[in-house]
Amino acid sequence: MLMPVLNIDNVELFYGFSCIIIAIGLGIISWPLASQFLPNAYASVDSKMEIDLRAICGGRCVTVNWFGTPVFVRNRLPREVRKARIVCIRLLKDRCARNANIDSKALAFDRNRCLDVRSENWLVVVAPCTHLGCMPNVTEHGWVCACHGSSYDLSGRVTSGPAATNLDVPKCVYAVNTLVLGA
Amino acid sequence: MFCLVCRKIEIGAWIKTHLIAFKVPKRANLLYAIGGVLLFGVLLQILTGISIAIHYVPVVSKAFVSVNMFMRKFKYGWLVRSAHVNGASLMFCALYVHMFRSVYYRSYVGKRRRVWLVGSAIYVLMMCISFMGYVLPWGQLSYWAAVVITNFIDAIPLVGKWLRLFVLGGQAVRDSLLKRFFVFHCFLPFVLLFLVVLHVVLVHVSGQNDVISNRTFAIGSRVNMFPVYVLKDLVFVGFYLLILCALCLAFPSVFSNKLNYEPADFYSTPADIKPEWYFMHYYSVLRIFESKLAGVFVTGLTLLFVAALPYIHEDLSSDALKGLYRPSVVILFLSFALLGVLGALRLSYWLVVLARACVCVYLLFFLWPVFARLMRVIALNLVTWCC
């Protein structure tokens, strides 16, 4: 019977190869085991939701549950819009508009953050504070976060506190009296 | 049959070497008895935890109700849960004393380095377990603690966003997170128990150091563990139980915030959210920095320094360092306690300044031997260069 002869060099090579194969095997086993921790396919699908805007009268801010993500829909009064528009953009902490509906390089002017030109009173922003995800409280000047005091102006732009970015404007479409989130 | 098995594995000899004739230093003081208390604490937490786990439902809509049902409707449920919750706080209290003792008497040099390394792993694991356990009742504070801490993961560069999804299992803190926290809160204590056993085994291999010297087997400085030290440990376990009973029966919610008795509300954050007292110093560190990354970095650094302590304070050969060591340990723990107190207060300018000073003191404790060594090298080089 023919047996393969292993001299000492071959043995070391053999050990090396077997280590590599074991490592690959462990990788193959742990990949599915680890991947199942990631969100499921259902959770990451963008889902559409329709909101009737007639129920929100001027000056009110409503929190909408958009498939688990709270969203602020604020019907701003004309004077609040004016107040949001006179803010000097150079003084802002974050000059990016953060509006998913327009170019990502757009600046944080109020006209880049409200729904569209015809409906400048409506402001739609993803609610959790961009610092650590707490819910900001509605005030007459905008929002103030309950946790660490980040404050946002009437356009959802950060004015002070530890938050570094403006509240995001989610993908949405405005039709007469209705708002479609996630469209 | 039982006797046969016992004889086969030589249980008698094992008991004799490790529980009766194990040599302990004569000069060990009362602080040395905390270790036994902690072992008892871990076992008690596992026991009470199992009976709570039987009644707990890890679903967002039912978690809060199931915990309250267990406390109100099941016989002695209030006692078991109270013992579990207060036991966790009490164990952290004992753990910090235990850590102070080993830092103060330098029980981490030489062979005992392994003991310290396993011990610091236990500390980190215990913090993970207690945080997960804190989220499970799904009260207001539980929920917002989970939200805030998982948002901190975002700050880690490169992998942060992905890692957050990995922990959350969804876009927000919901069922997926609650379920995995429950599973890991049940599973990790057994890993912890394994580490604790390893910790104790390593102590028995290397022997304990005493109050003055680090030499293990100096003649005449050691006595048998039985009876005095075993009894001392048991007395301390008795004290532990006494305090636990007092807490459970008279002050069951002295460590918990009343906000956590309200079910989680995803749409309103309570005004003052605070962690449990044993995380207060980390909370203090995290909130005094403007950027998230800085907070996470400094917190990670403090933990890393704790683990690296045996390498940092390895030799205190010169007398100047030796004299400085013990006072500096006391200052370290005082600054640590002060950080905890500051974490509970409302944020203000002077508080931030004071807390940053505390963090500096904390880091300086770990850095001064490095500085001292560096200064010595520079001085020597200067001398040779000049001459």
Side-chain angles (χ1 to χ4, degrees):
Chain A
M1 199 173 155
L2 197 70
M3 289 287 283
V5 180
L6 293 172
N7 61 28
I8 194 72
D9 295 342
N10 283 350
V11 165
E12 278 177 358
L13 202 66
F14 177 72
Y15 284 164
F17 271 124
S18 47
C19 281
I20 291 168
I21 287 169
I22 288 170
I24 291 171
L26 284 180
I28 290 172
I29 293 168
S30 57
W31 185 258
L33 280 178
S35 305
Q36 58 81 28
F37 276 96
L38 287 168
N40 59 17
Y42 175 76
S44 52
V45 167
D46 270 13
S47 320
K48 283 188 188 181
M49 190 174 137
E50 216 175 273
I51 300 160
D52 188 358
L53 293 179
R54 281 174 298 186
I56 308 167
C57 53
R60 291 287 302 278
C61 176
V62 170
T63 313
V64 179
N65 179 8
W66 179 35
F67 296 96
T69 312
V71 171
F72 286 137
V73 179
R74 189 163 188 160
N75 189 356
R76 299 180 293 177
L77 298 170
R79 62 179 158 86
E80 291 179 326
V81 176
R82 246 175 285 131
K83 208 170 154 188
R85 299 232 154 157
I86 56 165
V87 172
C88 177
I89 196 145
R90 281 167 190 280
L91 301 177
L92 289 175
K93 207 170 173 182
D94 178 22
R95 292 180 199 172
C96 185
R98 314 249 166 221
N99 187 341
N101 304 298
I102 57 169
D103 186 22
S104 60
K105 283 178 195 149
L107 289 175
F109 293 113
D110 186 66
R111 63 164 187 274
N112 287 339
R113 305 220 357 122
C114 62
L115 267 185
D116 63 50
V117 189
R118 290 164 298 147
S119 48
E120 57 189 28
N121 58 325
W122 291 104
L123 181 69
V124 183
V125 285
V126 174
C129 176
T130 53
H131 177 225
L132 289 174
C134 298
M135 285 290 284
N137 295 319
V138 178
T139 64
E140 56 177 317
H141 303 296
W143 289 272
V144 174
C145 179
C147 287
H148 305 94
S150 296
S151 57
Y152 300 91
D153 66 4
L154 286 158
S155 192
R157 297 168 296 199
V158 59
T159 50
S160 67
T165 61
N166 300 330
L167 295 174
D168 285 324
V169 178
K171 262 203 158 337
C172 54
V173 169
Y174 176 77
V176 184
N177 288 333
T178 51
L179 174 74
V180 184
L181 274 172
Chain B
M1 184 64 195
F2 179 70
C3 291
L4 201 77
V5 172
C6 285
R7 215 173 301 150
K8 191 75 188 165
I9 60 173
E10 292 176 330
I11 196 131
W14 187 84
I15 287 175
K16 188 162 188 299
T17 42
H18 288 289
L19 290 177
I20 296 171
F22 177 64
K23 298 289 180 200
V24 284
K26 250 184 208 168
R27 286 188 295 244
N29 57 15
L30 288 178
L31 290 176
Y32 280 70
I34 302 288
V37 169
L38 278 167
L39 179 61
F40 176 77
V42 170
L43 294 176
L44 195 68
Q45 287 301 98
I46 288 179
L47 266 183
T48 49
I50 286 171
S51 53
I52 299 171
I54 289 168
H55 297 271
Y56 180 72
V57 186
V59 178
V60 164
S61 54
K62 290 176 184 154
F64 186 81
V65 180
S66 70
V67 170
N68 275 280
M69 278 287 278
F70 178 62
M71 281 185 78
R72 286 159 203 277
K73 297 285 182 333
F74 289 90
K75 283 200 172 70
Y76 295 109
W78 57 274
L79 183 64
V80 175
R81 166 130 200 278
S82 186
H84 195 71
V85 172
N86 291 313
S89 271
L90 215 53
M91 262 183 70
F92 266 98
C93 201
L95 184 81
Y96 287 136
V97 175
H98 190 64
M99 281 168 89
F100 171 76
R101 199 270 303 151
S102 39
V103 178
Y104 192 78
Y105 295 125
R106 303 191 71 230
S107 312
Y108 51 77
V109 288
K111 267 193 290 182
R112 293 181 203 94
R113 180 186 289 166
R114 296 170 298 182
V115 182
W116 177 268
L117 289 178
V118 174
S120 48
I122 290 174
Y123 175 51
V124 173
L125 195 60
M126 211 166 123
M127 289 201 296
C128 293
I129 292 171
S130 60
F131 173 68
M132 286 174 186
Y134 186 61
V135 173
L136 295 184
W138 210 245
Q140 271 287 62
L141 283 186
S142 304
Y143 173 72
W144 291 105
V147 169
V148 166
I149 297 298
T150 50
N151 266 298
F152 265 116
I153 302 174
D154 257 355
I156 300 168
L158 299 176
V159 292
K161 288 230 163 10
W162 179 80
L163 200 65
R164 179 159 178 269
L165 280 185
F166 202 77
V167 172
L168 287 183
Q171 302 297 329
V173 176
R174 293 292 186 274
D175 274 316
S176 50
L177 177 114
L178 189 60
K179 264 179 206 154
R180 59 188 60 179
F181 269 27
F182 176 58
V183 169
F184 281 103
H185 184 71
C186 292
F187 158 71
L188 288 180
F190 294 97
V191 179
L192 183 91
L193 194 63
F194 169 74
L195 285 180
V196 167
V197 170
L198 192 65
H199 190 70
V200 175
V201 166
L202 287 174
V203 168
H204 276 241
V205 169
S206 55
Q208 286 169 301
N209 72 326
D210 69 17
V211 175
I212 296 167
S213 83
N214 271 310
R215 279 178 301 152
T216 313
F217 296 112
I219 297 157
S221 70
R222 307 246 138 191
V223 288
N224 283 353
M225 190 172 165
F226 192 81
V228 176
Y229 283 85
V230 171
L231 289 179
K232 218 186 228 177
D233 276 13
L234 285 179
V235 166
F236 265 74
V237 167
F239 272 125
Y240 180 82
L241 273 176
L242 195 69
I243 297 170
L244 191 61
C245 284
L247 283 174
C248 292
L249 300 176
F251 315 101
S253 51
V254 69
F255 288 126
S256 37
N257 195 317
K258 64 175 187 294
L259 284 169
N260 219 20
Y261 294 110
E262 292 168 22
D265 179 358
F266 305 145
Y267 303 111
S268 86
T269 313
D272 278 311
I273 62 168
K274 277 185 205 117
E276 293 282 87
W277 70 270
Y278 43 80
F279 287 144
M280 212 55 111
H281 50 280
Y282 289 122
Y283 176 68
S284 212
V285 173
L286 285 173
R287 72 177 187 164
I288 56 173
F289 292 102
E290 274 283 293
S291 86
K292 279 199 271 185
L293 185 61
V296 172
F297 178 74
V298 172
T299 313
L301 206 63
T302 54
L303 277 176
L304 198 73
F305 276 159
V306 167
L309 186 64
Y311 301 98
I312 294 169
H313 283 285
E314 200 169 16
D315 75 304
L316 299 179
S317 40
S318 75
D319 289 335
L321 295 187
K322 215 179 257 176
L324 269 175
Y325 183 75
R326 285 188 177 181
S328 71
V329 173
V330 174
I331 290 172
L332 168 77
F333 274 82
L334 283 179
S335 73
F336 183 80
L338 186 60
L339 261 183
V341 173
L342 292 177
L345 301 176
R346 218 170 254 278
L347 215 55
S348 67
Y349 175 75
W350 286 108
L351 185 140
V352 170
V353 171
L354 197 58
R356 283 187 186 168
C358 283
V359 173
C360 287
V361 168
Y362 192 101
L363 293 180
L364 206 62
F365 172 78
F366 296 100
L367 290 176
W368 67 254
V370 182
F371 281 139
R373 245 171 261 167
L374 209 67
M375 290 312 281
R376 203 185 306 158
V377 169
I378 290 170
L380 280 175
N381 279 332
L382 269 182
V383 168
T384 46
W385 185 64
C386 290
C387 294

